[in-house]
């Protein structure tokens, strides 16, 4: 019996330039996204070797990680950040790479602008010196994060050396409950698999939950693949995918589109394809999620309590260290906990759909007085849509203001730092110690949960507020 | 960037028996603003090592003079999270040449191999034995032999084999990096590119 091939196999194998015996594959990279933080040392390495970028037309640069989210028209105050931004601009110029810096209308978070501009396409390979590159897998691309040495490899040779990961399929069927968003689906999966449960694997998401999901939602789920240890995650392209990409700036057009469609129509896992691991969940059992600890695997349904040490399968010392950092006690309820900050944004939840969801909850309500809220669109295009759709008006009426695009408080490289000891409900991707600022305490959640927290000042089940509306 | 060859390393080790040590702990994002690869060792484990007023946290292992050496031993799922190679640079720059754990995150492992830090993955039981030996004697020595792919507890002779693919092993033994290899394939890569659909 012949064995079918997975979606992942089809795309990977189509990009192998050379197989090294007992070693990695030499993999061709179609699209290379570059930002200011992980690229300068790579460009420096090229200078030392006297190398130029091999395919500048396959390379795209933007500034996002350490940029301010206010007054972007003014010079960047932090001299170190300004220096990194200047280095990227100069390097891009020297090597003929398109550079969408601060103030450019295409500027934004690297994983938001790739899809927006049609750089991200089905069946391509995408890398970036950033672990959340997995986002682009939503289009049926193989996309993953790399280190700076690898950035240099791709700049110089458009190739990377990688052992081929194993294949995992996560299938979720069933109807999602009210107020359960793609973020909740992802946090649920990570809570079940742990942060290392998919290490060594490339994940394909399958089942009706993902086929019913919007492209934005698929991006959120694929984005968080790295948080379960996977190198990346992907969804087979379908009609929704093609509709999303059609007509975007870098999407092929005319005859080239037809030719691409011939390739794209082969991109699915064959019926008898073999996966190294299969995981199945029931979508109807998922509720809005929130994290209580210091890694994204420490998530629970919002109405349940923090697990007790006894209920854990090992790792008790690490669990206790984590609760001590958060100043939480085992067994406590999450609902009702007072919070200080709300962060809506990041490559995980900084797209238009996320702002629509947030606005749905805060509409006609007021931001809680003691809450500081940072609402940061993923790109200027998202910012434009927020204005055009009337969302900005809703947000402003509720006492919120919109900042300018960037990674912002997700990793707090700029001034957007949560102060030590404060609690932040964040739509971003990591609740590690100090991730959002030294001593900051992060509760990861969906835009709906973040909105409910922003108006009540406490961890609140968004269904309570949404039910009031329908009643 | 080429690095020193790795062959046999005998050293004491620094224990960090914590699981899921993420790269934000190894080097926090606010220290990623350099445009050159230098000075990262000073900020290795910055927020575990120093108070906010920059005075050392006495209980943290790197601040305890009893411990030292070129081997860092961490709990399972070491190096998870952000892809920042700066984490591997900080470890190398601080003076470590080898990290031992029962499980490594993928990107961190790759980054280490690319810059000359050897990731040695051992069984959970052997990791436990290493921690016990260091607890018994902070000056306990361990030997990592890359050619034989073994790690040995010197005091007892207990030994375990570890895996590394033969291509990467050859690179580490010789101090080669992947970039030179890829550059030598330029014509093959260009021919491949011309046949791609997108």
């Amino acid at each position: 019996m012949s064995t079918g091939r997975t979606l992942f196999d089809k795309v990977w194998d189509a990009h192998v330039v050379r197989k090294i015996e007992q070693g990695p594959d030499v993999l061709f990279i179609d699209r290379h996204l570059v930002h200011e933080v992980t690229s300068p040392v790579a460009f420096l390495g090229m200078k030392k070797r006297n190398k130029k970028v091999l395919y500048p037309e396959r390379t795209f640069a933007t500034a996002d990680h350490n940029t301010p989210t206010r007054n972007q028209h003014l010079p960047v105050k932090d001299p170190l950040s300004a220096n990194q931004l200047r280095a990227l601009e100069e390097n891009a110029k020297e090597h003929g790479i398109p550079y969408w810096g601060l103030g450019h209308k295409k500027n934004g978070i690297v994983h938001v602008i790739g899809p927006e501009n049609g750089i991200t396409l089905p069946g391509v390979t995408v890398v970036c010196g950033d672990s959340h590159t997995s986002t682009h897998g939503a289009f049926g691309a193989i996309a993953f994060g790399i280190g700076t040495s690898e950035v240099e490899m791709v700049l110089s040779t458009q190739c990377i050396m990688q052992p081929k990961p194993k294949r995992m399929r996560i299938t979720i069927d069933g109807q999602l409950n009210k107020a359960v968003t793609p973020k909740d689906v992802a946090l649920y999966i990570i809570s079940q698999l742990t942060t290392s449960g998919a290490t060594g694997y490339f994940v394909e998401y399958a089942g009706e939950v993902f086929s019913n999901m919007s492209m934005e939602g698929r991006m959120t789920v694929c984005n968080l693949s790295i948080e379960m240890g996977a190198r990346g995650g992907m969804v087979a392209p379908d009609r929704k995918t093609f509709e999303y990409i059609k007509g975007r700036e870098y999407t092929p057009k005319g005859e080239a589109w037809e030719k691409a469609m011939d390739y794209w129509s082969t991109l699915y896992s064959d019926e008898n394809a073999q996966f190294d691991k299969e995981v199945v969940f029931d979508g109807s059992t998922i509720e809005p999620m929130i994290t209580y600890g210091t890694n994204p695997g420490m998530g629970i349904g919002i109405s349940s309590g923090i697990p007790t040490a006894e209920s854990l399968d090992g790792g008790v010392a690490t669990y206790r260290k984590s609760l001590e950092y958060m100043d939480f006690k085992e067994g406590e309820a999450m609902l009702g906990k007072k919070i200080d900050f709300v962060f809506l944004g990041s490559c995980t939840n900084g797209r238009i759909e996320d702002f629509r969801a947030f606005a749905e909850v805060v509409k006609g309500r007021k931001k809680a007085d003691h809450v500081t809220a940072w609402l940061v669109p993923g790109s200027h295009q998202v910012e434009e849509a927020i204005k055009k759709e009337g969302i900005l008006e809703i947000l402003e009426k509720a006492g919120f203001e919109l900042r300018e695009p960037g990674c912002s408080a997700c990793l707090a490289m700029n001034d957007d730092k949560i102060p030590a000891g404060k609690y932040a409900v964040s739509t971003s991707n990591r609740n590690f110690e100090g991730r959002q600022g030294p001593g900051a305490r992060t509760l990861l959640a969906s835009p709906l949960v973040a909105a409910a927290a922003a108006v009540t000042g406490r961890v609140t089940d968004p269904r309570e507020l949404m039910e009031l509306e329908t009643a | 960037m080429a690095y020193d060859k790795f062959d046999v390393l005998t050293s004491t080790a620094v224990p960090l028996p914590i699981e899921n040590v993420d790269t934000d702990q190894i080097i926090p994002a606010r220290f990623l603003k350099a445009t050159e690869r230098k000075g990262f060792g000073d900020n290795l484990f910055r927020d575990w090592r120093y108070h906010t007023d920059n005075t050392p946290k006495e209980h943290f292992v790197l601040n305890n003079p009893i411990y030292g050496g070129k081997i860092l031993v961490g709990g399972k799922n070491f190096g998870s999270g952000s892809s920042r190679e700066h984490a591997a640079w900080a470890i190398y720059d601080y003076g470590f040449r080898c990290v031992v754990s029962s499980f490594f995150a993928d990107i961190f492992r790759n980054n280490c191999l690319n810059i000359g830090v050897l990731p040695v993955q051992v069984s959970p039981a052997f990791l436990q034995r290493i921690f016990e030996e260091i607890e018994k004697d902070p000056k306990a020595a361990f030997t990592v032999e890359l050619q034989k792919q073994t790690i040995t507890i010197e005091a007892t002779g207990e030994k375990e084999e570890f895996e590394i693919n033969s291509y990467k092993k050859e690179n580490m033994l010789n101090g080669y990096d992947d970039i030179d290899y890829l550059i030598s394939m330029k014509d093959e890569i260009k021919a491949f590119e011309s046949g791609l659909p997108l």
Side-chain angles (χ1 to χ4, degrees):
Chain A
M1 192 185 95
S2 74
T3 317
R5 294 162 77 210
T6 67
L7 165 64
F8 171 73
D9 288 321
K10 288 177 183 177
V11 181
W12 181 279
D13 295 348
H15 289 85
V16 174
V17 182
R18 186 191 282 182
K19 277 190 162 323
I20 298 171
E21 212 176 312
Q22 306 233 334
D25 288 347
V26 176
L27 194 71
F28 188 87
I29 302 303
D30 294 312
R31 306 283 186 271
H32 186 195
L33 307 170
V34 176
H35 66 84
E36 76 276 23
V37 174
T38 56
S39 68
V41 173
F43 281 112
L44 207 61
M46 294 178 77
K47 191 168 263 177
K48 282 181 189 154
R49 289 174 207 257
N50 199 22
K51 289 284 154 201
K52 294 290 279 181
V53 172
L54 189 59
Y55 292 107
E57 68 274 25
R58 293 182 175 277
T59 314
F60 302 86
T62 191
D64 58 1
H65 275 63
N66 69 27
T67 53
T69 55
R70 270 185 166 163
N71 294 323
Q72 289 188 349
H73 60 289
L74 299 177
V76 174
K77 278 187 205 151
D78 175 356
L80 292 174
S81 297
N83 190 37
Q84 262 189 347
L85 294 169
R86 199 177 315 117
L88 179 56
E89 190 171 358
E90 283 167 9
N91 287 325
K93 203 172 187 182
E94 186 185 333
H95 292 271
I97 301 166
Y99 173 62
W100 302 335
L102 274 188
H104 194 287
K105 67 179 191 327
K106 287 186 201 153
N107 177 259
I109 304 174
V110 66
H111 309 309
V112 176
I113 65 174
E116 273 177 356
N117 291 289
I119 295 165
T120 309
L121 297 171
V124 299
T125 48
V126 185
V127 297
C128 173
D130 186 280
S131 60
H132 293 110
T133 308
S134 57
T135 312
H136 308 268
F139 294 81
I142 287 182
F144 54 90
I146 57 177
T148 297
S149 296
E150 294 167 318
V151 171
E152 186 182 340
M153 291 174 210
V154 182
L155 288 172
S156 303
T157 70
Q158 208 60 38
C159 285
I160 193 173
M161 296 176 113
Q162 293 287 301
K164 188 175 179 182
K166 289 181 284 185
R167 297 147 300 190
M168 179 190 288
R169 178 160 61 188
I170 298 176
T171 305
I172 310 186
D173 286 313
Q175 196 65 37
L176 292 180
N177 290 304
K178 183 173 181 175
V180 173
T181 69
K183 178 65 164 289
D184 301 298
V185 173
L187 286 177
Y188 175 80
I189 299 171
I190 305 163
S191 75
Q192 298 300 303
L193 295 183
T194 78
T195 53
S196 57
T199 304
Y201 292 91
F202 219 94
V203 173
E204 179 178 344
Y205 298 98
E208 57 187 357
V209 163
F210 303 108
S211 55
N212 290 339
M213 213 176 254
S214 67
M215 290 312 296
E216 284 85 355
R218 292 177 191 177
M219 284 188 249
T220 299
V221 171
C222 288
N223 171 280
L224 290 164
S225 303
I226 181 72
E227 308 309 335
M228 55 190 95
R231 210 49 200 283
M234 60 205 299
V235 178
D238 58 12
R239 210 162 43 100
K240 241 180 242 178
T241 317
F242 304 132
E243 273 168 18
Y244 182 99
I245 59 173
K246 197 159 194 176
R248 291 182 188 261
E249 183 170 348
Y250 289 87
T251 304
K253 310 208 166 50
E255 228 174 276
W257 169 271
E258 297 304 324
K259 202 177 145 204
M261 278 299 280
D262 289 344
Y263 169 49
W264 293 339
S265 62
T266 67
L267 299 180
Y268 54 86
S269 287
D270 297 333
E271 239 172 71
N272 56 349
Q274 293 290 310
F275 289 83
D276 299 288
K277 193 172 179 181
E278 293 253 24
V279 182
V280 178
F281 297 113
D282 175 358
S284 68
T285 62
I286 304 173
E287 72 162 334
M289 299 285 292
I290 194 159
T291 65
Y292 61 90
T294 56
N295 74 55
M298 300 173 90
I300 48 175
I302 195 160
S303 64
S304 46
I306 296 171
T308 56
E310 269 178 5
S311 69
L312 299 175
D313 181 21
V316 172
T318 305
Y319 161 85
R320 293 228 157 94
K321 182 179 184 301
S322 185
L323 285 197
E324 192 185 322
Y325 180 86
M326 295 300 290
D327 197 20
F328 288 160
K329 307 218 164 22
E330 43 185 292
E332 273 182 342
M334 288 303 289
L335 284 174
K337 280 189 180 299
K338 192 170 171 240
I339 60 103
D340 310 291
F341 282 75
V342 166
F343 172 56
L344 173 66
S346 86
C347 59
T348 308
N349 282 126
R351 283 171 287 268
I352 186 63
E353 191 175 276
D354 305 311
F355 282 81
R356 285 183 197 137
F358 191 92
E360 187 190 338
V361 173
V362 305
K363 187 176 183 176
R365 296 192 165 89
K366 284 279 177 203
K367 180 182 78 64
D369 285 341
H370 73 272
V371 171
T372 303
W374 292 335
L375 277 47
V376 186
S379 70
H380 282 301
Q381 284 195 34
V382 173
E383 187 184 10
E384 281 311 303
I386 290 169
K387 290 177 182 165
K388 213 169 116 190
E389 293 185 17
I391 294 170
L392 182 61
E393 208 183 320
I394 296 170
L395 297 175
E396 285 179 344
K397 268 192 188 151
F400 296 92
E401 60 169 315
L402 195 64
R403 298 172 85 98
E404 293 169 281
C407 297
S408 180
C410 173
L411 81 168
M413 273 194 85
N414 65 0
D415 288 340
D416 307 344
K417 291 178 173 60
I418 310 292
K422 299 292 184 190
Y423 291 96
V425 176
S426 294
T427 66
S428 48
N429 41 60
R430 287 181 176 139
N431 50 353
F432 298 149
E433 284 183 35
R435 169 81 178 182
Q436 296 200 277
R441 293 165 172 156
T442 302
L443 312 175
L444 296 177
S446 74
L448 292 177
V449 172
V455 293
T456 61
R458 296 179 180 279
V459 175
T460 301
D461 191 329
R463 290 170 293 193
E464 282 176 30
L465 304 181
M466 295 165 84
E467 270 159 28
L468 284 174
E469 277 154 24
T470 46
Chain B
M1 169 161 167
Y3 48 81
D4 298 336
K5 296 174 186 183
F6 194 111
D7 186 7
V8 178
L9 172 67
T10 298
S11 171
T12 53
V14 175
L16 195 62
I18 298 167
E19 295 175 7
N20 305 317
V21 172
D22 59 77
T23 54
D24 272 83
Q25 307 317 311
I26 299 173
I27 186 151
R30 62 187 190 280
F31 299 110
L32 309 183
K33 295 189 181 184
T35 50
E36 287 175 274
R37 191 189 140 180
K38 59 183 183 195
F40 289 104
D42 294 342
N43 295 316
L44 176 67
F45 292 112
R46 181 77 201 194
D47 293 337
W48 285 357
R49 205 166 138 200
Y50 297 101
H51 294 287
T52 42
D53 64 1
N54 296 328
T55 54
K57 291 182 177 177
E58 274 174 32
H59 67 273
F60 187 61
V61 68
L62 292 187
N63 294 325
N64 187 339
I66 295 174
Y67 301 105
K70 294 185 171 183
I71 302 171
L72 177 63
V73 190
K76 83 168 178 204
N77 197 25
F78 193 90
S80 58
S82 159
S83 59
R84 59 189 71 166
E85 193 168 301
H86 312 65
W89 296 341
I91 285 170
Y92 187 99
D93 194 37
Y94 185 87
F96 293 114
R97 293 302 314 278
C98 172
V99 184
V100 180
S101 176
S102 58
F103 198 87
F104 288 97
D106 269 341
I107 304 180
F108 177 78
R109 180 204 297 265
N110 273 357
N111 287 342
C112 284
L113 287 166
N114 281 334
I115 67 149
V117 171
L118 182 66
V120 171
Q121 186 163 322
V122 296
S123 65
F126 199 79
L127 184 70
Q128 196 49 42
R129 283 291 302 120
I130 295 174
F131 282 134
E132 284 164 11
E133 280 302 306
I134 305 173
E135 196 173 342
K136 204 160 67 184
D137 174 14
K139 296 291 166 212
F142 304 88
T143 297
V144 178
E145 290 184 77
L146 179 54
Q147 189 59 260
K148 293 183 184 162
Q149 295 177 219
T150 57
I151 175 165
T152 309
I153 301 172
E154 286 298 316
T156 62
E158 287 163 273
K159 186 182 285 198
E160 194 168 91
E161 283 187 19
F162 62 87
E163 280 187 30
I164 179 170
N165 78 53
S166 53
Y167 167 83
K168 278 291 179 193
K169 178 176 168 179
E170 226 23 61
N171 269 6
M172 296 261 326
L173 285 168
N174 293 297
Y176 298 154
D177 64 28
D178 288 347
I179 300 175
D180 291 323
Y181 184 100
L182 290 173
I183 287 171
S184 74
M185 285 179 60
K186 193 172 166 186
D187 292 342
E188 193 178 339
I189 292 169
K190 287 194 125 174
F192 186 88
E193 198 265 354
S194 64
L196 283 170
L198 291 163

